[in-house]
Amino acid sequence: EGFSSVNFFLSLYRFQAFVYFASVFQAMSCGIHYLASVFMAVTPNFVCGIPGNVSSVLFYNSSESSLEGIWTLWTSTEDYIVVQLENGEIWELNQCSRSKREVTLDLAYEYKANKSLFSCSDGFLYDNTKWKSTVVTQWDLVCDREWLAKLIQPTFMLGVLIGAVIFGDIADRLGRQRVIWFTSAGQFVFGIAVAFTFDYYSFVIVRFLLAMVSSGYLVVAFVYVTEFVGIKARTWASMHVHAFFAMGIMVVALVGFLVRTWWVYQVFLSIATLPFVLCCWVLPETPFWLLSEERYEDAQKVINIMARWNKVSTPCKVSELCSVQQDDLVSGRTGDNDTSSTKKHNILDLFCNWHIARRTITVWLIWFTGSLGYYVFSLSSISLGGNEYLNLFLIGAVELPCYIIACIGMDKLGRRNTLIPFLILSALICVLIMFIPQDFNISIILANMAGKFSIGVAFGLIYLYTAELYPTIVRSLAVGSGSMMCRIGSVVAPFCVYLRSVWIFMPLLLVGIMALLSGILTIMLPETLGKPLTNTLVEATEMGRNKKSCSGKTPPAHSGAALEKIEMFGQETVSTEK
């Protein structure tokens, strides 16, 4: 029978439900901090500052006594504003320069006589009608300092990359619980600290640390919840982690609409998940990790707590569980006369033959494309016209149904047969957007939502599909390398969005080309729906050829009783990262 979203929620026992929802609730803060810069680092209209008090302002045929009335008429960065000071001087104000007119007999917009060119030594004047303050206006990150503003999101994503690697390793060494505690508290502390940084460089450094703990939490929380939920609910559990991330994006849109001062905006975003920081200390360590560390007494305590919550009168004993696993291990060894290989595998094993190498290149491309498209559609949403807050909210909301569709498609149509059409569809949508007239704001927004939906399905699906495409001996390596390509895509995405200044459709063109190429190459990948996980590279290669495995060996199956006991701890987990 198909496993639906309703069945997923019903399948969770009370203890697992508490742990799951408490953990994924904090995933919202990851979505919040990942996309916070879309409003925090926005650049409003601006012109050079002036060395005196203004008596009158002229913009084409419109005359005002102050600049506030002129900003609504500003349409192009090539425009300039003419101002007359109280001392009679007349200045032309451009965005990155200003000119003093030598002849001041008449205040007119057009002027052909001599004028002196000056730099913006008196700072800049900003349009405060939409945003009272941003980091750009706070530290004048415009003109020759504009590149500093453009580094804000890429440096954050670089922190995401490094944090996932560091905290993923620490979680394996010290346990999931401690990393959950540290990273959730770190998100709150660094989130608040960002709001009170004293200059641009301290702002970037603290946000880099915030990115590391946010990324670390998302990776470890995924592993944490999958080790508590049952095997049958694992796919849906992982997908719903992404859904809470999307809800964080929606929170960014809502807070951005209500708060227009960047540091107050940052404080409100940081306290949004404060309840979890206060209660995360009650979350236990996973029995799965405790057993792997041979801390059997601690594992038994957690199992007993789970039993009391779930009203199970006779909780399973760790000693029985370990004995069953030991019996299965012995039977597996006696069924295979070959000695166990102790070879350490590395990245080159993902290119051991042509079939596996082609598979690896395709999978890496899908990871990269999924991340690139995800963040290009998200970061570009405030530039689509109309209400930028509503745009970002809708871009986040459209993710919620896309993960349900992804799960249903994976179970009904298969992994490959779901991935291919949505990758190609996202490419076609990118092309379609290019042909929509720029004044059709609603059509553009709907098309971008459809593009985000399509790439979101592919992005959510690739996690599980990668794990199924590779054998046990290199499965973690394959997913880890794919996840690394994903993070590289997230670092590249902001730079891709900046290419709008070259050509407005350049980001969409790049995403469309990558999605189309990925969709075509995916056709050569094998379908994994209903197929057992492979153990060796030979078996994985033969799966791609649609032939029976040459090895003739299959991993020993757990007995029914053992499987029921092990289910709550999880079999294999796949780390994921946005």
Side-chain angles (χ1 to χ4, degrees):
E1 295 181 1
F3 191 76
S4 67
S5 183
V6 175
N7 289 333
F8 160 63
F9 291 112
L10 293 178
S11 68
L12 295 178
Y13 291 102
R14 287 204 306 175
F15 182 86
Q16 283 88 334
F18 166 75
V19 168
Y20 180 80
F21 287 108
S23 302
V24 298
F25 177 77
Q26 182 70 355
M28 282 199 303
S29 66
C30 300
I32 287 172
H33 295 305
Y34 276 41
L35 273 296
S37 67
V38 295
F39 296 130
M40 187 193 309
V42 70
T43 302
N45 294 325
F46 67 94
V47 292
C48 261
I50 44 180
N53 296 324
V54 176
S55 61
S56 59
V57 181
L58 187 64
F59 184 72
Y60 289 104
N61 296 324
S62 299
S63 179
E64 298 285 344
S65 59
S66 65
L67 281 171
E68 283 71 19
I70 295 296
W71 292 122
T72 56
L73 306 175
W74 187 277
T75 57
S76 172
T77 58
E78 302 300 322
D79 292 334
Y80 63 90
I81 297 175
V82 178
V83 298
Q84 186 172 35
L85 305 185
E86 291 179 349
N87 61 8
E89 293 179 352
I90 298 177
W91 291 77
E92 292 181 9
L93 306 180
N94 296 84
Q95 284 204 322
C96 297
S97 64
R98 56 185 178 171
S99 303
K100 181 183 177 182
R101 293 180 178 179
E102 300 297 335
V103 180
T104 60
L105 296 177
D106 184 31
L107 179 62
Y109 193 75
E110 298 294 337
Y111 176 80
K112 302 297 183 181
N114 295 332
K115 50 189 176 182
S116 303
L117 186 65
F118 295 88
S119 63
C120 300
S121 57
D122 291 295
F124 300 87
L125 300 174
Y126 297 96
D127 177 8
N128 295 324
T129 53
K130 278 190 177 181
W131 297 280
K132 299 299 181 184
S133 171
T134 71
V135 295
V136 172
T137 64
Q138 179 89 14
W139 296 304
D140 288 335
L141 305 180
V142 293
C143 297
D144 58 341
R145 287 167 56 87
E146 181 184 9
W147 65 277
L148 294 173
K150 291 185 175 181
L151 283 179
I152 290 175
Q153 188 65 17
T155 53
F156 183 91
M157 289 303 181
L158 184 62
V160 167
L161 190 156
I162 296 174
V165 174
I166 292 176
F167 286 106
D169 181 65
I170 293 176
D172 287 338
R173 296 173 182 271
L174 302 181
R176 289 76 164 101
Q177 181 193 47
R178 293 179 182 177
V179 175
I180 290 282
W181 290 353
F182 178 80
T183 54
S184 58
Q187 285 187 80
F188 177 74
V189 172
F190 291 130
I192 296 294
V194 165
F196 298 99
T197 48
F198 51 87
D199 63 8
Y200 169 80
Y201 298 101
S202 61
F203 170 81
V204 170
I205 292 172
V206 176
R207 267 190 46 98
F208 183 85
L209 298 175
L210 175 61
M212 289 180 62
V213 294
S214 297
S215 171
Y217 181 87
L218 197 60
V219 169
V220 178
F222 179 87
V223 176
Y224 185 78
V225 298
T226 52
E227 289 182 351
F228 270 111
V229 300
I231 296 172
K232 196 179 284 188
R234 188 161 298 149
T235 299
W236 286 85
S238 63
M239 285 295 186
H240 282 78
V241 174
H242 298 313
F244 277 84
F245 183 95
M247 291 172 64
I249 299 176
M250 297 162 66
V251 171
V252 170
L254 179 61
V255 175
F257 175 74
L258 296 174
V259 182
R260 306 297 177 91
T261 302
W262 79 266
W263 66 271
V264 180
Y265 160 85
Q266 176 66 28
V267 169
F268 273 92
L269 290 178
S270 299
I271 65 176
T273 53
L274 180 59
F276 176 80
V277 178
L278 299 177
C279 73
C280 70
W281 310 100
V282 303
L283 294 178
E285 184 57 79
T286 66
F288 188 86
W289 184 83
L290 292 171
L291 288 175
S292 69
E293 294 293 309
E294 299 183 354
R295 293 170 54 180
Y296 302 119
E297 291 185 4
D298 293 332
Q300 186 65 60
K301 291 178 182 178
V302 175
I303 293 172
N304 292 339
I305 294 174
M306 295 171 67
R308 286 197 299 270
W309 272 67
N310 297 333
K311 297 182 178 179
V312 176
S313 57
T314 56
C316 69
K317 302 296 183 182
V318 169
S319 56
E320 297 176 1
L321 180 60
C322 293
S323 65
V324 171
Q325 288 180 294
Q326 185 66 31
D327 291 343
D328 285 336
L329 183 61
V330 172
S331 64
R333 285 176 175 170
T334 56
D336 186 357
N337 293 327
D338 295 337
T339 58
S340 300
S341 173
T342 59
K343 175 187 174 183
K344 290 185 177 181
H345 296 277
N346 56 52
I347 197 73
L348 295 179
D349 289 307
L350 300 180
F351 299 88
C352 63
N353 60 56
W354 166 243
H355 294 280
I356 298 298
R358 185 177 62 187
R359 185 178 306 176
T360 299
I361 293 172
T362 302
V363 167
W364 281 4
L365 185 63
I366 298 171
W367 279 89
F368 179 85
T369 302
S371 180
L372 181 70
Y374 182 93
Y375 285 106
V376 164
F377 279 115
S378 297
L379 296 173
S380 300
S381 61
I382 63 170
S383 305
L384 299 178
N387 189 306
E388 55 269 12
Y389 306 103
L390 179 60
N391 294 350
L392 184 63
F393 184 88
L394 294 176
I395 285 292
V398 77
E399 285 190 59
L400 302 181
C402 91
Y403 296 130
I404 297 176
I405 297 298
C407 286
I408 295 174
M410 283 193 292
D411 291 340
K412 300 295 184 181
L413 302 177
R415 283 70 160 126
R416 184 186 62 181
N417 295 337
T418 302
L419 186 59
I420 293 172
F422 278 103
L423 281 172
I424 295 178
L425 178 61
S426 61
L428 295 177
I429 291 172
C430 288
V431 175
L432 174 64
I433 295 174
M434 298 181 192
F435 290 94
I436 300 177
Q438 288 299 294
D439 54 345
F440 284 38
N441 289 338
I442 296 178
S443 299
I444 292 175
I445 293 169
L446 291 176
N448 273 269
M449 289 177 62
K452 177 68 178 295
F453 181 93
S454 300
I455 206 71
V457 171
F459 194 27
L461 187 154
I462 190 59
Y463 295 104
L464 181 62
Y465 193 26
T466 302
E468 295 175 341
L469 284 172
Y470 290 89
T472 302
I473 57 174
V474 293
R475 184 168 296 123
S476 294
L477 187 63
V479 175
S481 63
S483 188
M484 188 65 66
M485 295 301 298
C486 160
R487 293 168 193 131
I488 293 174
S490 67
V491 173
V492 172
F495 294 109
C496 185
V497 173
Y498 298 147
L499 291 176
R500 286 174 61 92
S501 60
V502 178
W503 183 42
I504 191 171
F505 297 123
M506 184 65 76
L508 291 173
L509 178 64
L510 295 176
V511 172
I513 292 174
M514 298 295 290
L516 180 62
L517 180 61
S518 300
I520 294 173
L521 291 177
T522 303
I523 297 174
M524 296 183 287
L525 293 179
E527 180 55 69
T528 59
L529 177 63
K531 295 183 179 179
L533 295 177
T534 56
N535 275 347
T536 67
L537 288 167
V538 174
E539 293 175 1
T541 303
E542 292 303 317
M543 177 177 64
R545 295 175 178 174
N546 293 320
K547 294 181 180 180
K548 186 177 180 180
S549 174
C550 296
S551 64
K553 301 168 185 174
T554 57
H558 289 286
S559 66
L563 188 58
E564 291 177 3
K565 293 178 180 179
I566 295 173
E567 186 179 43
M568 79 171 81
F569 307 131
Q571 297 279 351
E572 291 177 289
T573 56
V574 181
S575 67
T576 182
E577 176 59 30
K578 275 287 187 186

